[in-house]
């Protein structure tokens, strides 16, 4: 495993653990209110659109880029798509089905910031699928791209995508933590599959 990838995983793990501990210490609602602050109209506009960088459709672009530039790592990318989706969707729809999102858990919507034009979802909060996707792509980037800028640029991308879910009042910080851990597990499993395939 590359040093850059090890650093990326460690940073992600620390971030995830901190968010978990903060959520248990303050309570998930209070942790949400701590981070969900109104940063103004520019931030509203930015996060309203940046959050889509964690949509599942982004995998189409990643797959195409891999086909053109890193075809030898295609199995790694496909495995990452499959396992990140499985972790997020099985957790949301089976293991933690019905877990309330901020809009349902905090009935008084005047207590938190929301963005005009963004529909507030109410159920299946844990983990954040957008965060799972963003952090999986970030970690994949450190494997596939041999450039120093990948770590800081990828981390910034993933953190902003994760934070957008809190800013838009769609998820609690603990959901972001769950997405980060799901991404780490995804990468470990996908790397093992790629390695086994390469040996065979």
């Amino acid at each position: 495993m590359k040093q850059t990838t090890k650093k990326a995983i460690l940073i992600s793990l620390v971030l995830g653990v901190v968010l978990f501990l903060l959520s248990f210490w303050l309570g998930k609602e209070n942790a949400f209110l701590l981070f969900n602050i109104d940063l103004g109209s520019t931030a509203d506009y930015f996060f309203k659109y940046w959050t889509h960088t964690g949509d599942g459709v982004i995998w189409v672009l990643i797959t195409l880029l891999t086909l053109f530039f890193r075809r030898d790592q295609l199995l790694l990318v496909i495995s990452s798509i499959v396992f990140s989706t499985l972790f997020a969707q099985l957790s949301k729809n089976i293991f933690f089905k019905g877990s309330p999102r901020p809009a349902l858990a905090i009935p008084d919507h005047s207590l938190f910031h929301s963005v005009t034009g963004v529909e507030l979802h109410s159920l299946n909060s844990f983990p954040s699928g957008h965060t799972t996707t963003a952090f999986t792509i970030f970690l994949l980037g450190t494997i596939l791209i041999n450039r120093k800028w990948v770590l800081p640029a990828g981390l910034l991308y993933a953190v902003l995508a994760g934070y957008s879910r809190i800013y838009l009042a769609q998820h609690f910080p603990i959901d972001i933590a769950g997405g980060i851990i799901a991404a780490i597990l995804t990468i470990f499993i996908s790397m093992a599959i790629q390695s086994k395939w390469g040996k065979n």
Side-chain angles (χ1 to χ4, degrees):
M1 185 186 297
K2 290 163 57 177
Q3 282 299 117
T4 305
T5 305
K6 288 181 180 178
K7 288 179 183 177
I9 290 173
L10 180 60
I11 292 169
S12 299
L13 181 61
V14 169
L15 184 58
V17 169
V18 167
L19 288 175
F20 264 122
L21 292 176
L22 193 64
S23 298
F24 283 115
W25 181 44
L26 297 176
K28 69 177 187 177
E29 289 84 2
N30 287 330
F32 165 75
L33 294 172
L34 178 66
F35 289 106
N36 172 260
I37 52 177
D38 185 353
L39 297 176
S41 58
T42 301
D44 286 1
Y45 183 85
F46 174 78
F47 286 116
K48 181 178 180 179
Y49 292 100
W50 187 263
T51 198
H52 294 299
T53 63
D55 286 346
V57 71
I58 197 75
W59 282 121
V60 175
L61 175 61
I62 301 300
T63 303
L64 289 174
L65 289 172
T66 306
L67 277 170
F68 282 113
F69 300 108
R70 293 300 306 270
R71 187 169 294 187
D72 60 309
Q73 298 293 321
L74 187 58
L75 182 60
L76 174 69
V77 173
I78 292 173
S79 298
S80 296
I81 295 170
V82 170
F83 284 101
S84 64
T85 302
L86 282 176
F87 280 132
Q89 296 307 317
L90 287 177
S91 296
K92 279 176 175 293
N93 298 298
I94 296 179
F95 302 121
F96 300 99
K97 185 177 181 179
S99 58
R101 295 193 186 216
L104 183 61
I106 307 173
D108 185 356
H109 290 189
S110 67
L111 293 176
F112 61 84
H113 175 66
S114 58
V115 175
T116 302
V118 176
E119 179 186 357
L120 293 176
H121 300 291
S122 57
L123 295 172
N124 301 342
S125 190
F126 185 87
S128 163
H130 285 72
T131 304
T132 304
T133 297
F135 271 85
T136 301
I137 290 172
F138 159 48
L139 297 175
L140 265 179
T142 65
I143 299 170
L144 300 175
I145 304 171
N146 296 312
R147 295 288 186 273
K148 290 182 178 180
W149 56 261
V150 171
L151 180 60
L155 180 61
L156 180 63
Y157 148 68
V159 167
L160 288 175
Y163 179 68
S164 74
R165 307 310 290 162
I166 299 173
Y167 190 84
L168 298 175
Q170 301 289 10
H171 283 287
F172 295 102
I174 196 170
D175 303 329
I176 308 307
I180 294 171
I181 300 304
I184 293 171
L185 291 174
T186 292
I187 288 300
F188 274 120
I189 293 170
S190 299
M191 287 178 67
I193 291 172
Q194 175 73 20
S195 176
K196 187 173 180 63
W197 178 268
K199 288 178 182 177
N200 291 336

